Amino acid sequence: MPHILIVEDETIIRSALRRLLERNQYQVSEAGSVQEAQERYSIPSFDLIVSDLRLPGAPGTELIKLAEGTPVLIMTSYASLRSAVDSMKMGAVDYIAKPFDHDEMLQAVARILRDRQEAKSAPAPAATSNARNGSAEKTVDNANGEIGIIGSCAAMQELYSKIRKVAPTDSNVLVQGESGTGKELVARALHNLSRRAKAPLISVNCAAIPETLIESELFGHEKGAFTGASAGRAGLVEAADGGTLFLDEIGELPLEAQARLLRVLQEGEIRRVGSVQSQKVDVRLIAATHRDLKTLAKTGQFREDLYYRLHVIALKLPALRERGNDVIEIAQAFLVRQYTRMGREPLRFAHDAEQAIRHYPWPGNVRELENAIERAVILCEGAEISADLLGIDIELDDLDDEDFGLPATAGQSAGNSHEPTEDLSLEDYFQHFVLEHQDHMTETELARKLGISRKCLWERRQRLGIPRRKSGVTSGP
């Protein structure tokens, strides 16, 4: 069981983080300051240190020197983002902004621990990419170990080849693919295989930031630029200076912010909101979207000049249902990761589970697969995982190897409306199901029934033009 040290002076945050990590099978110790951590523990003995940046006495960055190689994850507020980036240059493995989302924290912790374990077990010198010899792929970062993108189908082999060619350049890259296919993982591979690998990689989900705040978040602002701007602040583009800026869901970026971003790409400079002065920045941009930017540009919803600036190199991530046997390879890797993380004896998939994994269309892609396997490992009481535990109940009797079935709810829903399921595509089914049930289901319930995340549900609504009802059942965004 990985042992994590939390160093945080705010008791409420420290306790909440401890409970979150302990619920997810981590052993946790805690301290309120660097000095207390030194007095109570042998700091290098931990597997990971999660520390606030601003602490009474010495700052959290002091732990980087004391850790002697143990990774340090820095927590910070957006207001001190510049300091967080500086701490990464001092040796912090990553930073996370407060207030953080629970899933975001758990993903960061799991990724750091996984990278540390892989670095420990990696032979020296570092192996070359397995994509060259056709085995399960690992994109190799010569500086910092491995970034795993599992899969060896032809489409992924072609993608790995392009990543290796594009990464050493400073060209802008547009990563396209459905939600949950791993676009941020591709961005990390491009960054870590580039000359900018030791500089920050700043990731921003454009769909997650309110439209009224996006320009300030990206480009910063001066004191008094708007109501509430009590002090000047650097933006995320400025924080990425010398490194890489990853803009996820760039199709959601407002037109005015697009104009500012174009200036960054054309002139290599930014101007904070409320400022009359520009300053130079050296940023490589990687953008990602599940939307058709070319069509959006033609209809005036996306700047055409920005589209062509972004579209220097385009990388397409295939959907999981298009990757053949990769789905089993990925599922097996997730299974090992989950039962190891939870300290359980090795588990295996039953035959019906493997069949379900192969034939289910995975509308939420790799993210949905990982969530399904995590749930199955938690619920499994024996040594074998059945199809029922995966929560993707489908009819397996009449499926051939090339068929993809729909969830049981698809047949039920279509049956209730006296419509044949065989004529429904996945997109048709999604639209039909949402329109039929959204008046009496919350967004959470809809997402659960469809087997996808709430974020994926929102993204598909956007893509298919299905607005949420203003009346009826209400729930959070």
Side-chain angles (χ1 to χ4, degrees):
M1 183 182 293
H3 194 180
I4 299 173
L5 173 63
I6 301 171
V7 185
E8 165 65 67
D9 60 316
E10 293 188 41
T11 306
I12 294 175
I13 295 177
R14 189 170 71 238
S15 299
L17 182 54
R18 176 172 190 151
R19 289 195 299 272
L20 173 67
L21 294 174
E22 287 179 338
R23 282 200 305 269
N24 285 271
Q25 311 301 314
Y26 295 113
Q27 182 181 353
V28 180
S29 297
E30 60 183 79
S33 67
V34 174
Q35 183 179 352
E36 183 184 349
Q38 282 182 283
E39 292 172 352
R40 295 182 60 186
Y41 309 109
S42 170
I43 293 175
S45 67
F46 290 92
D47 296 296
L48 172 63
I49 298 165
V50 181
S51 175
D52 192 16
L53 179 61
R54 300 181 184 278
L55 293 166
T61 49
E62 285 296 310
L63 291 162
I64 297 170
K65 293 180 288 186
L66 299 170
E68 299 178 11
T70 296
V72 178
L73 173 63
I74 292 291
M75 298 184 292
T76 181
S77 64
Y78 275 122
S80 56
L81 183 58
R82 179 74 259 177
S83 299
V85 174
D86 288 340
S87 72
M88 288 182 67
K89 293 178 179 178
M90 295 169 63
V93 68
D94 207 345
Y95 75 90
I96 190 166
K98 295 194 298 186
F100 51 79
D101 177 80
H102 283 191
D103 287 341
E104 182 185 9
M105 173 62 79
L106 292 173
Q107 287 169 10
V109 167
R111 172 174 48 77
I112 292 167
L113 291 172
R114 182 172 69 249
D115 288 349
R116 182 172 192 250
Q117 186 60 41
E118 288 175 350
K120 279 183 176 180
S121 58
T128 56
S129 173
N130 288 334
R132 292 195 179 110
N133 59 30
S135 62
E137 171 279 341
K138 294 281 186 181
T139 299
V140 176
D141 173 356
N142 294 327
N144 300 311
E146 294 182 336
I147 297 178
I149 308 176
I150 304 167
S152 51
C153 69
M156 294 303 289
Q157 293 285 5
E158 183 180 352
L159 177 66
Y160 306 147
S161 176
K162 288 182 178 178
I163 288 174
R164 290 196 300 272
K165 290 176 182 176
V166 172
T169 74
D170 270 343
S171 297
N172 300 324
V173 180
L174 180 63
V175 185
Q176 298 169 301
E178 293 181 9
S179 176
T181 49
K183 296 188 286 294
E184 184 167 358
L185 198 58
V186 171
R188 285 187 177 275
L190 289 167
H191 173 75
N192 288 329
L193 290 169
S194 76
R195 64 178 180 83
R196 299 171 180 267
K198 294 183 179 179
L201 168 65
I202 304 296
S203 300
V204 185
N205 187 331
C206 298
I209 303 176
E211 189 171 331
T212 53
L213 297 178
I214 189 72
E215 288 190 64
S216 171
E217 291 292 330
L218 285 178
F219 307 105
H221 63 260
E222 297 295 341
K223 180 179 180 180
F226 51 83
T227 303
S230 56
R233 200 183 79 182
L236 296 172
V237 176
E238 198 174 333
D241 190 19
T244 305
L245 177 67
F246 174 55
L247 295 182
D248 197 8
E249 300 303 345
I250 196 169
E252 309 302 325
L253 199 63
L255 289 172
E256 191 170 343
Q258 290 178 31
R260 285 181 177 269
L261 182 61
L262 185 63
R263 183 178 181 85
V264 174
L265 301 182
Q266 289 179 331
E267 310 296 336
E269 61 182 31
I270 62 166
R271 184 181 297 165
R272 293 185 182 183
V273 176
S275 175
V276 295
Q277 294 183 329
S278 298
Q279 60 187 93
K280 289 291 185 181
V281 288
D282 173 23
V283 172
R284 183 194 193 178
L285 181 65
I286 301 174
T289 183
H290 68 272
R291 305 183 70 182
D292 185 346
L293 293 187
K294 190 172 184 179
T295 300
L296 293 179
K298 287 180 179 178
T299 58
Q301 298 176 69
F302 197 85
R303 289 185 66 105
E304 196 167 13
D305 46 5
L306 178 58
Y307 168 71
Y308 288 115
R309 279 280 177 177
L310 293 173
H311 204 268
V312 177
I313 302 289
L315 300 179
K316 179 68 189 299
L317 263 169
L320 186 56
R321 60 184 172 275
E322 299 168 355
R323 292 177 57 180
N325 288 332
D326 279 3
V327 65
I328 288 294
E329 191 177 342
I330 296 168
Q332 293 287 359
F334 283 154
L335 179 62
V336 173
R337 181 187 304 172
Q338 291 297 335
Y339 72 60
T340 301
R341 183 171 70 85
M342 296 181 191
R344 297 195 53 167
E345 293 296 318
L347 298 173
R348 62 182 180 274
F349 292 118
H351 178 69
D352 67 337
E354 286 199 4
Q355 286 290 94
I357 290 169
R358 287 180 188 277
H359 295 298
Y360 181 62
W362 298 110
N365 291 292
V366 179
R367 184 186 297 121
E368 183 187 0
L369 174 62
E370 184 172 21
N371 291 341
I373 291 172
E374 181 179 0
R375 177 175 59 244
V377 171
I378 292 171
L379 297 176
C380 184
E381 296 180 350
E384 196 170 73
I385 288 177
S386 65
D388 289 342
L389 290 177
L390 291 169
I392 53 168
D393 201 14
I394 61 176
E395 295 296 331
L396 297 171
D397 294 341
D398 300 321
L399 288 179
D400 296 323
D401 286 341
E402 297 182 358
D403 291 335
F404 285 114
L406 286 170
T409 49
Q412 295 161 4
S413 173
N416 291 342
S417 300
H418 308 289
E419 296 179 9
T421 57
E422 56 268 25
D423 293 330
L424 285 177
S425 69
L426 285 175
E427 301 290 16
D428 291 337
Y429 167 65
F430 176 89
Q431 188 163 354
H432 174 77
F433 186 88
V434 170
L435 290 174
E436 181 175 1
H437 296 287
Q438 67 178 354
D439 284 343
H440 59 273
M441 283 187 182
T442 65
E443 293 295 284
T444 299
E445 290 168 336
L446 279 172
R448 187 183 300 119
K449 286 289 186 182
L450 288 164
I452 58 178
S453 67
R454 280 170 52 107
K455 181 174 182 289
C456 184
L457 173 60
W458 178 85
E459 288 169 343
R460 283 171 176 262
R461 279 186 180 277
Q462 298 294 307
R463 177 152 53 90
L464 298 175
I466 310 174
R468 287 180 57 181
R469 292 284 172 85
K470 300 298 182 183
S471 60
V473 174
T474 59
S475 66

